[in-house]
Amino acid sequence: MYILITSVVLVFLNLYAADTTRNLVFRNKHASLEDKVQLAASALSENRNLVRDRAEQVMNQMGSLNATRILVTDEAGLVIYDTMEADSAQGRYALLPELVLALEGNDVFYSAYASGSLESRAATPILYGNVLIGAVYLMEYDTDLGGLIYALQQTILVISLVLEVAVILASLVFSEIFSRRMRKIFSFIRIIRGGDYSHKMQIRGRDELAVLAREFNELAERLQASENQRRQFVSDASHELKTPLTSIKLLSDSILQNQMDEGTIREFVGDIGNEADRLTRMSQKLLSLTKMDAGKREKLELVDIGATADKVLRMLTPVARLNDITLENKVPDGATVLMGEDDLYQILFNLAENGIKYNRPGGSLTVDLARRGESYVLSVTDTGVGIPEESIPYIFDRFYRVDKARSRQAGGSGLGLSIVHDMVLRNDGSISVTQVPGGGSCFTVVFPAFDREEETQ
């Protein structure tokens, strides 16, 4: 299509250039012949009687007009002077169209180019006062100008052909380069579709295909990272689910295969129930992670942080009493954020639950809130065993646990803090953790503030 378009354009340019050249030569020739024929007609119009001797005398006095043929006729169209000796029309009536029109009182010019020659004709009436006494006719057969037109046309044609050949060759070269690069991209796509995300596409340059290749490489890197995370998640989830299931299997086999007293059986059944509860909690957390990964968000609404903190601490009070943990809510009234209420509840619940599980007997857990510019800073501080410095960068990773044996004993799955982290991020917040001097941890969550009174105004 590109070659076809360029061919059509070059053809039109060729025709236009050739036509423009011919018209320019025709205009110049028209002006030249018109001056000559008018000069001859003016000289011949000085006498009323236009006869052969007078016409021959005038034309001899004018000298050469550089015309191939000159005819002079009387008012009836009878040729009284002809410069052509061979086959002279003198003494005969002229039937040339130009002379016929000139005897009707018209100025006539005609020019034609053919076979490398330019033939031009001009005729005009001869008037004595206002009386028609004859007509004069000039014809030029110019091979020089014809050759010039022919040379220009041939030059334009050669240039057009060279340009078209160059366009075709360039199109074929660029088409081959483009096709080769596209085949490389398609091959890369098939490799990626096969699951090999480590393959990199090497396309140099700064054009669109090079940009597309770099985008595909970045996409492959993200897919590779996502695949690694998925495999790690499946592996970790399988391992974590396998542990309670193995415990349930061992406990149930022990009950079935051994003679036990009622107290031991009740203890084993209680352990089975605890492992089942742990499986339930883990399944719920995995479901929460799946919903967040799918991008599902709750309906945003104004949520009172203090009221939500009260609900969470009341729910966790029985667990805190068993471990002799003191709970304290220092969140002031009226502090609101725009987010899903269940999200805020889940964030506070997981942080507070962790603070109770890994606290020391007789310790405390405090929920506090402070205003910092356009943000609320929510902190959950405990007096527990704390988090080692080297583990802080990983505590929000899925299934990561600082002390796996202690976490399993406490019923932890390594998913709670990961859920908190994802919920905070999807509500435009940030979360961090620091060690508390003397023991314990402080989780800090920053949310954009939303003032109910300002919004009402």
Side-chain angles (χ1 to χ4, degrees), residues 77 98 120 126 139 162 165 192 214 223 240 273 309 317 323 355 366 388 394 410 441 451 454:
E98 292 82 9
S120 303
I126 304 172
M139 188 271 285
V162 170
V165 171
I192 294 298
R214 289 192 290 270
L223 289 174
E240 295 299 326
T317 296
N323 296 282
T366 305
Y394 309 104
S441 305
D451 298 323
E454 291 182 5

Side-chain angles (χ1 to χ4, degrees), residues 5 10 65 70 95 102 135-136 156 162 221 229 235 248 268 302 307-308 315 322 364 372 376 405 416-417 422 455:
I5 292 173
L10 287 175
L65 293 178
I70 302 176
L95 300 177
V136 61
I156 295 172
V162 170
E221 290 177 359
Q229 291 178 355
S235 176
I248 292 174
F268 276 33
L302 283 176
T308 305
M315 182 64 66
L322 291 175
S364 64
R372 186 189 298 165
Y376 281 126
L417 291 179
D422 291 351
E455 180 67 16

Side-chain angles (χ1 to χ4, degrees), residues 308 311-313 315-316 343-356 420:
T308 305
K311 292 179 184 178
V312 170
L313 295 182
M315 182 64 66
L316 292 173
D343 282 358
L344 180 59
Y345 182 90
Q346 190 73 30
I347 291 168
L348 284 170
F349 187 90
N350 286 353
L351 292 178
E353 185 184 32
N354 275 0
I356 294 172
V420 170

